[in-house]
Amino acid sequence: MAQPGTSPTFSLSPNVLFVCPPLLVFYALCVLALCPAALPVITPRRRSASARARKRMVMAKKPRVVIVGAGVAGLAAAHRLCAAGGDRFDVTVVEAGARAGGRVLTSEFAGHRVEMGATWVQGVDGSPVYALARDAGALGEAPAASLPYERMDGFPDRVLTVAEGGEVVDADRVARPVEALYRGMMDAARAGEAAAGGGGGVEEYLRRGLRAYQAARPAGGGSKEELEEVEEALLAMHINRERTDTSADDLGDLDLAAEGEYRDFPGEHVTIPGGYSRVVDRLVAALPPGAVRFGLRLRRLEWGETPVRLHFADDGARPATIAADHVILTVSLGVLKASLVGGNAGKDAAAGAIAFDPRLPQFKRDAVARLGFGAVNKLFMEVEPADTPGPEGGGGQPPEFPFLHMAFLRGHVSKIPWWMRGTESICPVHAGSRVALAWFAGREAAHLESLADDEVIRGVDATLDAFLPGPPRWRVRRVKRSGWATDPLFLGSYSYVAVGSSGEDLDRMAEPLPRGSGPPRVLFAGEATHRTHYSTTHAAYLSGVREAERLLQHYR
């Protein structure tokens, strides 16, 4: 451009001169001679700048990504996309509930910090969840650890194993050998060394092992029948433990071969002093303000073309609709299972169900149907001695509630309700605590949610009477419990590989839609989409990062 007070210059690109006939060039020069300001200066540089401006205008329309679910998977995906450059994507996280965290929920009970959902970091070496907790300051002493918390003293080494009726099981001769058998067999299964022994479900595998152990025992004194009855009760106790570890209602439905693919991170298993929710808070704080929107429950997903349309409803209010270029769906496998049978998004839709239009392809539907997804609930109890023993032998010190492992005997007549027979133990959350914890899975977990507090307390009191007849006799003052089975936003706790399924189904869960080489419109994340770490919080985190990376690769 000419400076003020000077004559403008004019130049034509050699390409323009090449395509113009001489007559047109002569005519153009005459026009310019008559009116030199009639045309702007056109140079190769200006043309290039215009091209760059047009490209910037095209790129200004950022791809819109809607992430369904503000659990660990959804927040991890959002964090990765935003960390890659806030100007690359328009990211929104929509959450049906009123809080972030999904199946992570830290609470308080009787002066303790307790976890209603995710509890353990399964291995600290290389775990992204452990790293997040460390960066959030949740592993420090204060102020994060100002309240006592679950397993703050690690795993208990003073376990009291009692048979129904109150008889203490000999630890050295009976209880520890059966526990060693159980742990050794599960270690072999997870090392991939057990499937050749018959395959099928885990429960029959464990029972075969006990029968072989009993058959190999040399004849000796005492009643063989009574000993074997206690050993079978002890194995059933460990089976209850495995049910809560895996969420399988019946260990006969837990695929033995798939156990060989499951992996934890190396290192010890720990709880988080400041609470698991601090990990969630850390992820939310790293997102732009307003990135997470609450109270939006997805009812219908139209994904047959771009843009994808998400239809939401909020307690009967007028549905809202959001259009997106890409959707990352992080809902639980329980919600997806409900969507297979309750795909109508009207008033009669199954609780939590999402209607897919078009319906999910058959490969995805089959994977959802075959994989297992169970309920696990925690019951916290504040306990106290009903009578205080005299000072003899105790020096007047208040009694401590024991780390009680319970061997329920078949055919034993007692007032213990059936749902209490599905738990392995009632243990203090740390040594000396008056807050005790019992875990439940499957039918027992779901039934627990239907009971009133006083009925729960009566059931636990009857159990304590049968196993700890005293003195002292213990009583439950109050309880607090989780309720994942009936929560419509989750409909369960975590996934497992069921008999008839395989790790390949977990891979199919992770495949985006539509299948093929086109742009991914619907992407799937969550613990049930990770082949080797399924059922864990770090699986959720890693899957969210994986799907964010999928989009980043698509736009490179």
Side-chain angles (χ1 to χ4, degrees):
M1 185 70 70
Q3 295 298 320
T6 64
S7 298
T9 60
F10 171 74
S11 64
L12 284 176
S13 165
N15 292 332
V16 175
L17 292 173
F18 177 79
V19 298
C20 294
L23 183 60
L24 291 178
V25 174
F26 176 77
Y27 175 77
L29 291 172
C30 291
V31 170
L32 287 172
L34 293 172
C35 185
L39 290 179
V41 175
I42 302 175
T43 66
R45 174 180 292 181
R46 187 172 185 87
R47 192 178 210 192
S48 177
S50 298
R52 288 197 299 270
R54 286 194 299 272
K55 185 176 181 180
R56 283 195 299 269
M57 290 178 64
V58 171
M59 293 179 66
K61 185 182 180 301
K62 296 183 289 188
R64 186 169 198 189
V65 181
V66 174
I67 300 170
V68 180
V72 170
L75 295 174
H79 180 262
R80 179 68 187 94
L81 290 174
C82 293
D87 58 340
R88 296 185 63 180
F89 298 95
D90 178 0
V91 178
T92 301
V93 181
V94 293
E95 166 58 44
R99 63 172 182 85
R103 285 163 273 177
V104 173
L105 178 58
T106 303
S107 186
E108 292 185 15
F109 176 68
H112 287 63
R113 182 175 288 111
V114 296
E115 304 292 354
M116 306 309 295
T119 303
W120 293 97
V121 177
Q122 288 93 348
V124 300
D125 297 338
S127 166
V129 173
Y130 187 77
L132 282 167
R134 180 195 61 216
D135 295 344
L139 302 178
E141 293 299 322
S146 57
L147 288 178
Y149 59 95
E150 292 179 66
R151 295 277 56 87
M152 58 189 288
D153 50 355
F155 291 95
D157 55 6
R158 297 182 291 110
V159 172
L160 178 67
T161 303
V162 182
E164 190 171 355
E167 183 176 351
V168 176
V169 178
D170 188 302
D172 294 329
R173 192 173 70 91
V174 183
R176 290 197 187 102
V178 174
E179 181 180 9
L181 173 70
Y182 155 73
R183 292 190 182 280
M185 293 188 71
M186 290 309 303
D187 287 346
R190 287 173 182 143
E193 300 169 358
V202 168
E203 181 164 351
E204 178 54 31
Y205 163 71
L206 291 173
R207 293 197 181 280
R208 285 199 308 268
L210 178 62
R211 289 194 295 268
Y213 167 79
Q214 292 171 333
R217 180 170 45 225
S223 171
K224 176 183 177 182
E225 291 76 14
E226 289 182 7
L227 176 59
E228 289 185 350
E229 181 186 13
V230 173
E231 289 173 336
E232 289 167 3
L234 291 172
L235 180 63
M237 178 183 78
H238 293 301
I239 285 174
N240 281 336
R241 160 70 181 271
E242 198 66 30
R243 290 174 64 221
T244 58
D245 282 353
T246 62
S247 91
D249 182 26
D250 183 347
L251 279 200
D253 189 42
L254 181 66
D255 188 76
L256 178 60
E259 288 295 292
E261 288 194 309
Y262 177 85
R263 295 290 182 270
D264 287 331
F265 279 98
E268 61 180 332
H269 291 202
V270 299
T271 54
I272 300 176
Y276 232 119
S277 289
R278 291 281 295 276
V279 172
V280 174
D281 296 342
R282 172 95 178 165
L283 289 169
V284 172
L287 299 178
V292 183
R293 297 173 58 185
F294 296 99
L296 289 172
R297 179 179 295 192
L298 180 63
R299 303 300 301 188
R300 187 176 187 85
L301 184 64
E302 296 178 6
W303 63 275
E305 59 184 13
T306 303
V308 179
R309 298 194 178 276
L310 303 92
H311 301 276
F312 302 90
D314 184 10
D315 296 331
R318 186 174 181 177
T321 300
I322 298 177
D325 298 290
H326 310 279
V327 172
I328 301 179
L329 197 62
T330 74
V331 298
S332 75
L333 179 57
V335 168
L336 292 177
K337 283 180 175 290
S339 301
L340 296 185
V341 298
N344 173 17
K347 292 182 179 179
D348 297 328
I354 299 168
F356 291 88
D357 183 13
R359 61 184 276 172
L360 291 174
Q362 197 61 45
F363 84 92
K364 186 76 75 172
R365 294 172 61 86
D366 289 344
V368 170
R370 284 191 294 255
L371 286 169
F373 189 77
V376 175
N377 277 323
K378 299 171 72 174
L379 172 64
F380 293 96
M381 302 152 277
E382 185 179 10
V383 296
E384 61 183 1
D387 44 66
T388 303
E392 52 201 359
Q397 294 296 320
E400 289 190 3
F401 191 84
F403 292 92
L404 175 64
H405 283 198
M406 300 178 293
F408 294 94
L409 301 175
R410 292 182 180 179
H412 198 279
V413 178
S414 70
K415 297 180 180 180
I416 299 176
W418 70 269
W419 50 270
M420 278 299 302
R421 295 178 176 274
T423 188
E424 172 215 25
S425 60
I426 302 176
C427 292
V429 295
H430 62 81
S433 175
R434 289 291 176 86
V435 174
L437 168 64
W439 295 72
F440 297 85
R443 291 158 292 181
E444 293 89 347
H447 185 72
L448 181 66
E449 296 181 25
S450 69
L451 303 176
D453 281 1
D454 59 350
E455 190 171 356
V456 173
I457 291 172
R458 285 196 300 270
V460 177
D461 283 345
T463 305
L464 294 177
D465 284 343
F467 284 90
L468 298 175
R473 295 171 64 245
W474 291 90
R475 284 292 175 264
V476 177
R477 290 188 60 191
R478 52 178 171 152
V479 296
K480 184 180 183 69
R481 52 197 153 143
S482 56
W484 300 107
T486 54
D487 190 321
L489 303 186
F490 307 102
L491 300 175
S493 301
Y494 36 87
S495 62
Y496 63 94
V497 180
V499 171
S501 183
S502 69
E504 293 179 359
D505 282 330
L506 293 163
D507 288 340
R508 294 184 184 103
M509 289 291 299
E511 285 193 51
L513 299 177
R515 227 174 184 180
S517 58
R521 291 195 284 272
V522 183
L523 303 90
F524 294 83
E527 54 84 16
T529 71
H530 199 290
R531 182 159 183 161
T532 58
H533 291 297
Y534 57 90
S535 82
T536 66
T537 310
H538 55 256
Y541 180 89
L542 293 170
S543 71
V545 173
R546 179 195 66 215
E547 297 311 306
E549 290 290 346
R550 195 189 302 273
L551 286 180
L552 290 169
Q553 289 292 333
H554 175 72
Y555 282 98
R556 278 178 185 155

